[in-house]
C-alpha cells in the first residue's frame, strides 16, 4: 500500500511540474507557433452595391475601382434580382475580378409591394434595387458597420478611409451634405440642382409642414452611406422608411418631378438631424446632371469618390468625364452589356 501511495505522489508531482512548464508564456518558449495569418485576423470591410439589369457594367466598374485602390480586406455584397444574378456572377468569375471576395444576394421585390408610388417622370428611379439601401440589415446580417454605394460611382481613394468615418453615438448612418463642398456650388447652380429639402419634399402638403423642417435645410445624398447596423435595427429605421413610402403612396408627398428623389426623400425625413458627416472629398456629386457642365480636371484627380448621379451616366451618351469611368470598366465577357458612344 505504501508503495502505491508513493507512486501516486510521484505521479502527482510530475503532473504539477509538467503543468507549470507549459504555462510559460509563448514569448519565453523556444518553439514555433502557427498563428493566424494577417488576412484572417484583419477586419472585413463590407461594401454593398447593386447589380441592376441594363447597368451591370456600372457595378463592375465601381467594384474594380474599389478593389484596385485598396489593400483592405473588402467583402463585396452584390445585390441583384433573380433574373440578373447569373449574369453578374459569370461576369465576375470570367474577368480579373475573380480574385475579389464577394457574395451575391437576391433581393425580393415583393417587399416593396404597395409601398412605391408609380411616378412616370423618371421610371428608372422606381426599379426595385433603388430601394435596397432601406433594407441593409436584412440583407447584410453579420456586420455592424457597412458601406453602401450606388452603382454609378468610381472610387479613387482607399475605401478604408471611408470605412473609418466616425459615427456619433446614436447615429445609424453618415452621409454627405449637399452644401458641404464650396467647389461644387458653382456646378449645382449651373445645372439647377436642388440642395435643400424644398427640392425633394412638397411643402404644400400638411404632413410635410407638420415635420417642422425648414425648407431651406441642406439636403444630403444617400448614394454613399456608412451605416451602423446595430443602431439601424435599434431605431427601426427600415420600418420608419416604409411608413413614409406608404404615406407617399396615399398622399403624394414627394415625387421624381421634384429632386428626382423617390428613394432620397424618405431618408431625408427619417434621418433629419440624426446623421454624421462624410468627408466631402469622399462624395463628389452631380457629374450626371448635365452633359455640358464639367469640374476642373485637377479637382477631380484629387477627389476620392466620383458620383454620376443624374440622368447622364458615363456608360451612356451624352455624358461628361467618361474617361474617369472607362479607366475601370471591364468589358462584359458575354457581350450583353455595351457602353453607348457616338459613331466616329
Amino acid at each position: 500500500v505504501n508503495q502505491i501511495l508513493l507512486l501516486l505522489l510521484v505521479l502527482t508531482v510530475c503532473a504539477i511540474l509538467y503543468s507549470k512548464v507549459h504555462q510559460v508564456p509563448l514569448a519565453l518558449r523556444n518553439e514555433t507557433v502557427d498563428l493566424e495569418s494577417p488576412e484572417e485576423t484583419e477586419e472585413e470591410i463590407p461594401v454593398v452595391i447593386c447589380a441592376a439589369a441594363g447597368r451591370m457594367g456600372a457595378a463592375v466598374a465601381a467594384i474594380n475601382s474599389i478593389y484596385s485602390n485598396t489593400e483592405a480586406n473588402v467583402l463585396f455584397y452584390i445585390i441583384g434580382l433573380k433574373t440578373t444574378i447569373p449574369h453578374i456572377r459569370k461576369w465576375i468569375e470570367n474577368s480579373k475580378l475573380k480574385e475579389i471576395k464577394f457574395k451575391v444576394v437576391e433581393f425580393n421585390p415583393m417587399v416593396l409591394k404597395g409601398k412605391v408610388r408609380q411616378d412616370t417622370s423618371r421610371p428608372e428611379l422606381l426599379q426595385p434595387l433603388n430601394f435596397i439601401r432601406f433594407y441593409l440589415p436584412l440583407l447584410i446580417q453579420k456586420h455592424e458597420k457597412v458601406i453602401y454605394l450606388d452603382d454609378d460611382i468610381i472610387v479613387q481613394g482607399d475605401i478604408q478611409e471611408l470605412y473609418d468615418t466616425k459615427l456619433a453615438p446614436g447615429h445609424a448612418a453618415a452621409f454627405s451634405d449637399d452644401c458641404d463642398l464650396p467647389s461644387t456650388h458653382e456646378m449645382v447652380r449651373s445645372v439647377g440642382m436642388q440642395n435643400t429639402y424644398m427640392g425633394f419634399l412638397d411643402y404644400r402638403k400638411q404632413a410635410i409642414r407638420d415635420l417642422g423642417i425648414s425648407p431651406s435645410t441642406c439636403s444630403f445624398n444617400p448614394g454613399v452611406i456608412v451605416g451602423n447596423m446595430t443602431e439601424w435595427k435599434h431605431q427601426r429605421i427600415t420600418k420608419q422608411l416604409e411608413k413614409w413610402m406608404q404615406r407617399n403612396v396615399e398622399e403624394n408627398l414627394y415625387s421624381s418631378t421634384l429632386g428626382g428623389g423617390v428613394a432620397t426623400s424618405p431618408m431625408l425625413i427619417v434621418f433629419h438631424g440624426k446623421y454624421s458627416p462624410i468627408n466631402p472629398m469622399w462624395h463628389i456629386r452631380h457629374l450626371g446632371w448635365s452633359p455640358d457642365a464639367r469640374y476642373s480636371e485637377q479637382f477631380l484627380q484629387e477627389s476620392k469618390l466620383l458620383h454620376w448621379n443624374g440622368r447622364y451616366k458615363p456608360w451612356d451618351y451624352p455624358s461628361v468625364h467618361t474617361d474617369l469611368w472607362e479607366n475601370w470598366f471591364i468589358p462584359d465577357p458575354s457581350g450583353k452589356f455595351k457602353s453607348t458612344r457616338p459613331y466616329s
Side-chain angles (χ1 to χ4, degrees):
V1 173
N2 290 337
Q3 289 179 337
I4 294 173
L5 291 175
L6 182 61
L7 178 61
L8 290 174
L9 179 61
V10 171
L11 290 174
T12 302
V13 171
C14 290
I16 293 172
L17 291 173
Y18 180 87
S19 174
K20 291 293 185 182
V21 169
H22 284 267
Q23 284 180 1
V24 176
L26 288 177
L28 301 181
R29 273 197 261 156
N30 185 23
E31 58 184 72
T32 302
V33 180
D34 185 19
L35 298 174
E36 288 183 308
S37 67
E39 289 78 16
E40 292 172 329
T41 59
E42 187 181 7
E43 183 179 18
E44 267 183 349
I45 298 180
V47 175
V48 180
I49 194 164
C50 67
R55 47 194 292 165
M56 281 190 216
V60 167
I63 292 169
N64 187 29
S65 70
I66 296 165
Y67 177 66
S68 300
N69 286 303
T70 187
E71 296 295 326
N73 183 23
V74 180
L75 173 59
F76 292 97
Y77 282 86
I78 303 170
I79 317 298
L81 301 180
K82 186 175 183 178
T83 54
T84 62
I85 284 176
H87 186 185
I88 191 67
R89 186 185 295 278
K90 183 178 179 181
W91 196 331
I92 290 172
E93 293 176 349
N94 289 277
S95 71
K96 75 173 192 176
L97 294 180
K98 63 186 177 183
E99 303 297 331
I100 70 171
K101 291 172 60 178
F102 73 100
K103 293 183 179 180
V104 177
V105 180
E106 180 182 343
F107 180 68
N108 184 357
M110 290 304 294
V111 301
L112 299 172
K113 187 175 181 180
K115 300 184 182 75
V116 180
R117 187 180 183 87
Q118 296 304 306
D119 187 327
T120 58
S121 63
R122 288 193 66 187
E124 73 275 14
L125 296 178
L126 304 180
Q127 297 300 316
L129 294 181
N130 199 34
F131 299 92
I132 65 170
R133 70 199 89 190
F134 290 12
Y135 298 94
L136 292 176
L138 302 179
L139 297 166
I140 315 302
Q141 297 182 9
K142 74 169 187 173
H143 302 280
E144 179 170 358
K145 195 174 187 182
V146 170
I147 294 174
Y148 164 85
L149 299 175
D150 277 352
D151 60 358
D152 52 353
I153 64 97
I154 289 296
V155 172
Q156 300 186 137
D158 186 342
I159 198 72
Q160 181 76 55
E161 293 180 27
L162 181 60
Y163 185 74
D164 290 341
T165 298
K166 301 297 184 184
L167 275 68
H171 285 179
F175 305 99
S176 292
D177 281 326
D178 284 328
C179 310
D180 60 8
L181 196 61
S183 303
T184 67
H185 293 175
E186 183 178 346
M187 170 72 83
V188 170
R189 286 192 297 270
S190 69
V191 300
M193 173 66 182
Q194 294 290 337
N195 62 359
T196 66
Y197 273 57
M198 176 66 84
F200 294 88
L201 306 179
D202 189 347
Y203 276 83
R204 296 171 299 179
K205 302 297 174 66
Q206 188 62 43
I208 298 300
R209 295 198 298 272
D210 287 346
L211 291 170
I213 302 173
S214 169
S216 62
T217 300
C218 184
S219 55
F220 59 80
N221 187 298
V224 176
I225 305 172
V226 180
N228 180 321
M229 297 298 97
T230 301
E231 280 295 336
W232 194 293
K233 289 182 283 190
H234 176 70
Q235 299 178 31
R236 297 171 64 84
I237 296 295
T238 296
K239 288 294 183 185
Q240 293 187 59
L241 292 167
E242 289 184 325
K243 182 191 80 171
W244 283 103
M245 293 168 72
Q246 189 67 53
R247 290 198 68 174
N248 183 58
V249 171
E250 299 165 358
E251 304 174 50
N252 194 20
L253 304 176
Y254 53 84
S255 74
S256 61
T257 58
L258 293 170
V262 291
T264 299
S265 298
M267 299 197 85
L268 291 177
I269 295 171
V270 171
F271 283 100
H272 173 252
K274 294 184 293 186
Y275 66 90
S276 298
I278 287 175
N279 182 331
M281 296 303 285
W282 266 100
H283 196 176
I284 303 304
R285 305 177 287 289
H286 317 314
L287 277 74
W289 275 90
S290 168
D292 303 309
R294 300 177 65 92
Y295 288 110
S296 75
E297 292 301 324
Q298 180 179 354
F299 174 69
L300 292 182
Q301 291 297 330
E302 295 170 354
S303 303
K304 304 288 189 177
L305 183 149
L306 309 176
H307 189 183
W308 280 263
N309 58 311
R311 296 176 184 268
Y312 302 99
K313 304 302 184 184
W315 57 89
D316 275 335
Y317 180 83
S319 57
V320 296
H321 303 297
T322 55
D323 56 317
L324 296 175
W325 183 84
E326 289 179 337
N327 285 341
W328 305 106
F329 175 62
I330 299 172
D332 182 359
S334 72
K336 295 177 183 177
F337 179 92
K338 294 184 176 67
S339 59
T340 304
R341 292 289 176 264
Y343 293 108
S344 58

